[in-house]
Amino acid sequence: MATPPVAPSQAAAGGNFEAPPPPAMQPPGTDMTGICFRDQLWLNTYPLDRNLIFDYFALSPFYDWTCNNEKLRMQSIHPLDISQLSKMTGIEYMLSEVMEPHLFIIRKQKRESAEKVTPMLAYYILDGSIYQAPQLCNVFAARVGRALYHISKAFTTAASKLEKIGYVDTENESETSEPKVGKETIDFKEVKRVDHILASLQRKLPPAPPPPPFPDGFVPPTTEAEKEPENQQTAEPQPPAVDPIIDQGPAKRMKF
């Protein structure tokens, strides 16, 4: 009986080494708002319309090769055929909005039945460049965090200035016992009371509210402030989180 040929790596290991299986195609990350994709060669060759836009989207790193649309493509069926997709369950992509040839919006969703789907992520193709739309909860969390950061800084600045006014007023009172006519006097007790109110409001200022539940499989990015919660009360206010729209707009994303 003839022995099957042995791979060189197995022969080098004395026949005891088993080659690992090829790595499976990994699904795309859930937070890829920092990058964009553009294939200029493809755009110079094919038009951007509703019939070919999905083939272009499948070239990007945002595409999940385990989706139902890919199964339809392997069967030579149009990947956006809703009559076929409605019979399947799992991850799928749908073309939700079209403004040919400039704007296309693709929604990633999880289908549980013919009528029930759960939206997960959204992508848009703007003039040939593909972007992931930011999560609404991330936008709200970033905006609220930025507002709380500036409010906290404002309370800190106001409290420090009132404290300096109180110190100057006590020094002037010790130098001259008689108040000058026509000069507005500052009540030190009132200044301390306002300072105490501002300090108590600053301590009561709540942190940014938690965002709503994330989609299936979403892993929110962690910040340094979340890693050290015990230092938040004593340390300076942390800089606001990255805004998915202001700080990661289309012009600021890394191109692939």
Side-chain angles (χ1 to χ4, degrees), residues 29 33 84 102 109 114 151 156 202 213 238 242 245:
T33 53
Q84 298 292 330
H102 301 291
Q109 58 191 20
I151 292 174
T156 303
Q202 184 182 7
Q238 296 294 328
V242 175
I245 295 179

Side-chain angles (χ1 to χ4, degrees), residues 10-32:
Q10 295 180 357
N16 296 326
F17 174 75
E18 293 184 1
M25 185 69 68
Q26 296 295 324
T30 52
D31 187 10
M32 302 177 70

Side-chain angles (χ1 to χ4, degrees), residues 155 158-163 187-205:
F155 274 123
S160 63
K161 290 187 179 297
L162 286 175
E163 191 175 356
D187 188 355
F188 180 66
K189 292 183 178 180
E190 185 67 19
V191 171
K192 296 296 288 183
R193 189 179 71 85
V194 173
D195 192 14
H196 177 72
I197 293 174
L198 288 175
S200 63
L201 287 175
Q202 184 182 7
R203 287 192 299 268
K204 293 178 181 178
L205 195 65

Side-chain angles (χ1 to χ4, degrees), residues 3-170:
T3 57
V6 181
S9 58
Q10 295 180 357
N16 296 326
F17 174 75
E18 293 184 1
M25 185 69 68
Q26 296 295 324
T30 52
D31 187 10
M32 302 177 70
T33 53
I35 65 172
C36 72
F37 174 83
R38 184 181 181 89
D39 190 335
Q40 192 61 44
L41 180 61
W42 194 98
L43 295 173
N44 293 338
T45 309
Y46 303 100
L48 272 182
D49 55 28
R50 63 177 65 242
N51 294 321
L52 295 176
I53 191 63
F54 193 83
D55 294 331
Y56 180 58
F57 177 76
L59 300 175
S60 72
F62 306 108
Y63 185 63
D64 188 347
W65 289 86
T66 63
C67 65
N68 295 335
N69 309 80
E70 184 62 25
K71 298 175 183 177
L72 295 181
R73 292 178 74 194
M74 296 175 64
Q75 300 172 18
S76 300
I77 303 174
H78 195 280
L80 297 177
D81 190 347
I82 187 60
S83 63
Q84 298 292 330
L85 289 173
S86 59
K87 301 175 183 177
M88 310 169 74
T89 58
I91 304 299
E92 66 181 27
Y93 294 93
M94 288 295 298
L95 188 61
S96 59
E97 300 287 341
V98 177
M99 293 178 60
E100 293 182 349
H102 301 291
L103 179 63
F104 302 85
I105 299 178
I106 295 178
R107 183 175 67 244
K108 184 179 182 180
Q109 58 191 20
K110 184 177 182 181
R111 180 174 294 276
E112 300 179 15
S113 65
E115 292 81 16
K116 185 178 181 181
V117 293
T118 304
M120 298 176 63
L121 296 169
Y123 306 89
Y124 60 96
I125 297 94
L126 180 62
D127 292 330
S129 297
I130 306 178
Y131 308 89
Q132 177 183 333
Q135 296 269 7
L136 191 60
C137 55
N138 289 349
V139 176
F140 283 158
R143 298 292 173 88
V144 172
R146 182 165 297 197
L148 289 176
Y149 169 76
H150 291 297
I151 292 174
S152 180
K153 291 289 288 184
F155 274 123
T156 303
T157 304
S160 63
K161 290 187 179 297
L162 286 175
E163 191 175 356
K164 291 178 182 177
I165 292 175
Y167 288 155
V168 171
D169 186 63
T170 52

Side-chain angles (χ1 to χ4, degrees), residues 163-178:
E163 191 175 356
K164 291 178 182 177
I165 292 175
Y167 288 155
V168 171
D169 186 63
T170 52
E171 290 176 1
N172 293 339
E173 285 183 357
S174 61
E175 291 175 0
T176 58
S177 56
E178 296 180 0

